[in-house]
Amino acid sequence: DKFSLPSGHTTAAFLMASLLAHFYPEVTSLVYLWASIVGLSRVLLGVHYPSDIVAGALLGLTIAFMSINILA
C-alpha cells in the first residue's frame, strides 16, 4: 500500500487564504476559490488523492485558526 500525506501546496494555500480572509474580509471569496483551485490542480496533475487535498485544507485552516488565536 502507498502511504499518502496531506498536500503541502494545499495546506499552504488554505493557510494563506485564511490569513488573508481574516485581515482582508473583502477578498474572502476570491482567496478561498484560489486555494480550492490549487487543491484541485494537485488531483488533476495526479500527484495527490482527493483525501490528501481535504487533509491539507483542514491542516491549513487549523494552523491559521490557531495562529490567529495565539497572536490575538
Side-chain angles (χ1 to χ4, degrees):
D1 284 294
K2 179 182 171 187
F3 181 71
S4 191
L5 295 172
S7 166
H9 286 87
T10 306
T11 300
F14 273 88
L15 171 58
M16 180 60 73
S18 299
L19 293 174
L20 287 170
H22 177 77
F23 290 105
Y24 304 100
E26 64 275 7
V27 300
T28 298
S29 297
L30 182 64
V31 294
Y32 280 117
L33 174 63
W34 167 76
S36 298
I37 290 171
V38 169
L40 179 62
S41 75
R42 308 310 293 161
V43 175
L44 294 177
L45 288 170
V47 294
H48 282 289
Y49 296 112
S51 58
D52 301 342
I53 303 312
V54 172
L58 291 174
L59 184 59
L61 292 168
T62 301
I63 293 169
F65 176 77
M66 290 175 61
S67 298
I68 290 167
N69 284 313
I70 288 170
L71 296 174

